Amino acid sequence: GVRDVLFLYEENRCSMTYMYEYPEYLKIKLPKKTARRYPAYELYLYGEGNYAEENKNLLLTGIPVLFLPGNAGSYKQVRSLGSIALRKAEDVDFKYHFNFFSVNFNEELVALYGGSLQRQTKFVHECIKVILKLYRDGEFAPTSVAIVGHSMGGLVARALLTLKNFKPELINLLITQATPHVAPVMPLDRYLTDFYTAVNNHWILKAQDLRNLTTLSVAGGFRDYQVRSGLAFLPRLSQHDSALSVVSSAVPRAWASTDHLSIVWCKELILATIRALFDLIDENTRQITEDPKKRMSVLNHHFVRHPAKIFEENPEVFTELTGIFMWITVKASKWTYSVYNDSDGKYFTFPLASHRKSYSHVYCENSMLDTNSWIYGCMNSNLSMCLEATDLSWRAELLPTTKVVMLKLQDYPSLSHIVIQVPPALGNKYTLGCEFFKENSRTVQLPVTHLFSFGLSSSKILLNSTGLFYNVQLQHFNQIYQAFKIHIESHCQSLKERKPNVYRLHIPWSHEDSIIVAKVPSLTEISAKLHIAQPQNDSRVPELNIYSSSDCQYEVKIKSYPYILVFQIIRFHASAFPVYIVSNILLAYGGQLNTLRSTGQCSDFSLELVRTAKPYKVEPLISIVVFLQGFNWFREIWESLSLPEVDAAVLSRQDAWFPLVSLILFLFGTGIAYWSGVFFSTSLRLFSSLWLTLIRPTVLQNDRLMTPRRLCGVLTLALVSWTTCGAFAVFLMYLQYLFKPVRAFVTSVFYFQESDHSKETSQNSSIYTVKPQSSMDSVPEATQPLSKSTTIADAVNSLKMHVTILNLFTWIVLLNLPSLIYWLKNLRYNVRLDPDPCRFTAIIIICILEILMNSSTSAVKSSKLLKIAAKVPLPLSVAMLAFGRMHLYRVPHFVTFSLVLHVLCCVV
């Protein structure tokens, strides 16, 4: 499944964007107050060659566009947009041009640490005010700024509207690239989740105020494994009709999936963006139009359905058919025509009266991919030619190798003829075709295979009729966990050269189509997977559109494979893996404590994991709660207890959840926990063996739980946590604890060898004796003789417990690692991480682990609290799965609570 997510996607079909002149970034001077408040952030103006030289005095006359980089993104990523916009401006002799600004966020990891998102948002607000001041003396001074945000930069742009003193009219266009709008990819701290909640709630509650802001969200498709496209779709709001979400694979003239970085330089996608920006210009104001309807029309033209025509705001309804062309009447229901070096133009007319009774639709295609009009509707019923006609070219749709028109005859009762214009074609070669057909003759239904057929069954259909278009409806294909392979095999009667076929997987409820061009004859494989599940109030069916060759037959087969299901689970729920892994470790930890209480011996981690990690212990309770939350009375009781909503219920509303996914994730978590435990133990043995060859211990070193020296160490680390970064203090404690099992293992091995040697030399002497110990004196002093030390068995039991605790501690460190990395990157600006998501938790963890590091199982197994401590990990594991899937920062809290009880067992 991981291999499928990371490697088995479509090839990169994007072209690289190149600069024709050396790119330059002019730093914009910010007000002193702003520069002092945000020392790590900067604002730049992009330029090249002479254009860059002219702008050094900052006398700007263009249209301002602000680029916001994303997680660990660079301000230099603006160069693809800026360079292509500059070339486009040169084509129109700089009648209009754009000034591209870019913000330097110091490549902060805002997708993993949310503490700086609010700071970035406020800085962008200051940048917008600075940018607009640069134009205030110009003839066509702008009053707003267009924003292009990549990844988390798009979310920061949306967050501008949540600021109290922000004026919404400062931005009228927002384009986001691979931005996770719905939820964070990895919810590692509460600042990140709170930021998302504030932004999304504001956009829902203040939707009426956003009508003047046009928003376009472009997702990368399946190549982007960092941000799945489902997260990049803007919230569906019936009252907010100025937002559009598309997947790059469905964007006309791009038709390519992009990875998370290539979306900012993919030439085909950047060209679509720049064309749209130029079409958005108002000729009167020389700025982006203030008309929201025009903005949406332009974006739909370039990003949803391109008619192979240059955008016109109000195209003429009627047009004159001029030119001395030959008029030819075609009465057949199916017609094809090849053009090559024709010196004379022609009009082919198709009378509709004879076809209306027999057929419901007419389909026409043209492989000449120019932007001229080519198909018209005539209203004259008796004449052999018509001078004025309706331009039907605006009903066309551009595909990779052809432009097509599909008309329902019933919708055009006033038309008497369809007219196809074939202009003189000197040196050009292209084909045209038209056919009339009944919809039911070209529409077939193909049910998809069952989810758990595991590749043993398949659905197949043979398209026998020879037409130019087929529509295969994929029945019961509506959930994100459904994933299939569609095999299309074409058979042709002759081996003559044909135009390539186009296969389109059309998802009617979202703009996530995928288009494949295939040679004929051929065997083509299409991956059928969804980014967005079918809405409840939508009954439309996904379709496979086949734009075919007229003398070929097609066999369509659908088959499911187990690994594709795993692919979807990993793609949608990989971020929940840490929760399931830690939950399994916690269950094994509770089993070890329970075994220690009942037998006096601590069992091995891997054996205990196999015994205790059972999904039926945790999953049913969560499913019952989710079911009961569908009832108002239970929801009211739940809310009265101030309990957070179960994450599975939220995921169900997002259509990203189904009953078996939690079971599969739990089993994955068990497997990963098991093999990580094996790897951990093996590494410990290897490292300890190396240690033993270098340093031979002389005494069994164990001390009191707390000494003045250790107390000073705890206070020092607590001070480090408070004054610098909590994750840094936790990491230092982790390194200190890491040597505890190594030393314990080395000592155990050494004294086990010494014991065997002593027994061989003296059968009457006893080397090891057991000494009763109090809770605060759990092990003998380092200076005491060996005869007063604990037994080898007790040392091994303690070692096993330390390994499990260290395993849990490892995941706490990993989940807090992003804030540590962020702190290290920004250390030159501020020694103290503010806000710090784990400052208080770190202090508690330091105190706990300092005590546990010097504890032994001999004291724990005699504690009165051991029974409680052994039973608590199970409910904590259930709570972790219920409330931690979408809030990973809660995981350390559950682990910490369990370890607190362990500490109490050491002293009570």
Side-chain angles (χ1 to χ4, degrees), residues 410-700:
Q410 186 179 349
D411 295 339
Y412 300 89
S414 61
L415 295 185
S416 62
H417 294 74
I418 296 291
V419 179
I420 301 291
Q421 180 182 4
V422 181
L426 296 176
N428 291 328
K429 182 179 180 180
Y430 61 98
T431 59
L432 300 100
C434 283
E435 67 170 337
F436 294 84
F437 62 87
K438 282 188 176 180
E439 185 179 17
N440 55 9
S441 67
R442 296 298 169 83
T443 302
V444 293
Q445 296 181 347
L446 182 63
V448 298
T449 53
H450 192 269
L451 177 65
F452 297 108
S453 62
F454 299 111
L456 300 177
S457 64
S458 61
S459 296
K460 184 167 64 174
I461 195 167
L462 183 64
L463 305 175
N464 286 315
S465 61
T466 55
L468 299 176
F469 174 80
Y470 297 102
N471 182 23
V472 181
Q473 295 182 342
L474 306 178
Q475 298 291 319
H476 317 301
F477 181 34
N478 50 23
Q479 298 296 329
I480 59 102
Y481 54 80
Q482 294 176 295
F484 312 96
K485 292 285 187 183
I486 301 177
H487 303 275
I488 306 174
E489 188 172 2
S490 56
H491 304 277
C492 301
Q493 296 175 0
S494 61
L495 298 177
K496 66 178 182 179
E497 183 181 355
R498 296 176 180 82
K499 66 178 180 65
N501 287 169
V502 177
Y503 306 134
R504 175 169 66 178
L505 182 63
H506 174 59
I507 311 300
W509 55 79
S510 64
H511 304 298
E512 56 176 279
D513 294 5
S514 56
I515 295 178
I516 291 180
V517 179
K519 294 180 180 179
V520 183
S522 65
L523 176 62
T524 306
E525 183 180 88
I526 301 175
S527 292
K529 298 183 286 282
L530 296 176
H531 296 292
I532 296 287
Q534 184 180 31
Q536 292 183 353
N537 56 351
D538 198 321
S539 60
R540 291 173 293 178
V541 181
E543 299 171 345
L544 175 65
N545 303 139
I546 300 177
Y547 301 91
S548 56
S549 298
S550 58
D551 61 340
C552 297
Q553 292 182 339
Y554 297 84
E555 183 182 77
V556 181
K557 182 168 70 173
I558 297 181
K559 197 172 184 179
S560 63
Y561 298 91
Y563 73 90
I564 308 180
L565 172 63
V566 177
F567 165 89
Q568 288 294 82
I569 291 174
I570 291 176
R571 183 169 186 82
F572 279 81
H573 302 289
S575 61
F577 275 166
V579 181
Y580 284 89
I581 295 168
V582 177
S583 175
N584 276 274
I585 297 173
L586 204 57
L587 288 174
Y589 167 69
Q592 284 181 311
L593 291 178
N594 194 47
T595 306
L596 183 65
R597 183 180 69 87
S598 58
T599 66
Q601 301 294 323
C602 183
S603 57
D604 189 65
F605 169 78
S606 57
L607 296 176
E608 204 60 51
L609 182 69
V610 172
R611 189 179 70 83
T612 57
K614 306 297 182 185
Y616 59 78
K617 293 182 178 180
V618 294
E619 292 299 332
L621 184 59
I622 299 174
S623 299
I624 291 170
V625 171
V626 172
F627 173 75
L628 291 175
Q629 280 191 333
F631 299 97
N632 290 329
W633 61 269
F634 184 82
R635 199 158 51 244
E636 290 174 1
I637 295 174
W638 189 270
E639 291 172 357
S640 66
L641 296 174
S642 299
L643 291 172
E645 191 173 11
V646 177
D647 289 346
V650 180
L651 290 168
S652 296
R653 285 202 303 272
Q654 296 176 2
D655 299 317
W657 197 252
F658 63 100
L660 287 177
V661 71
S662 189
L663 173 62
I664 296 171
L665 287 172
F666 190 92
L667 297 177
F668 282 165
T670 307
I672 296 171
Y674 180 88
W675 289 107
S676 63
V678 171
F679 174 79
F680 203 82
S681 299
T682 305
S683 302
L684 177 67
R685 290 175 181 273
L686 292 174
F687 192 71
S688 301
S689 300
L690 179 63
W691 183 292
L692 190 58
T693 58
L694 299 176
I695 303 172
R696 296 182 67 81
T698 55
V699 290
L700 188 63

Side-chain angles (χ1 to χ4, degrees), residues 255-270:
W255 297 300
S257 177
T258 62
D259 61 54
H260 196 62
L261 290 179
S262 69
I263 198 169
V264 301
W265 57 254
C266 178
K267 184 178 178 180
E268 290 77 7
L269 204 56
I270 299 300

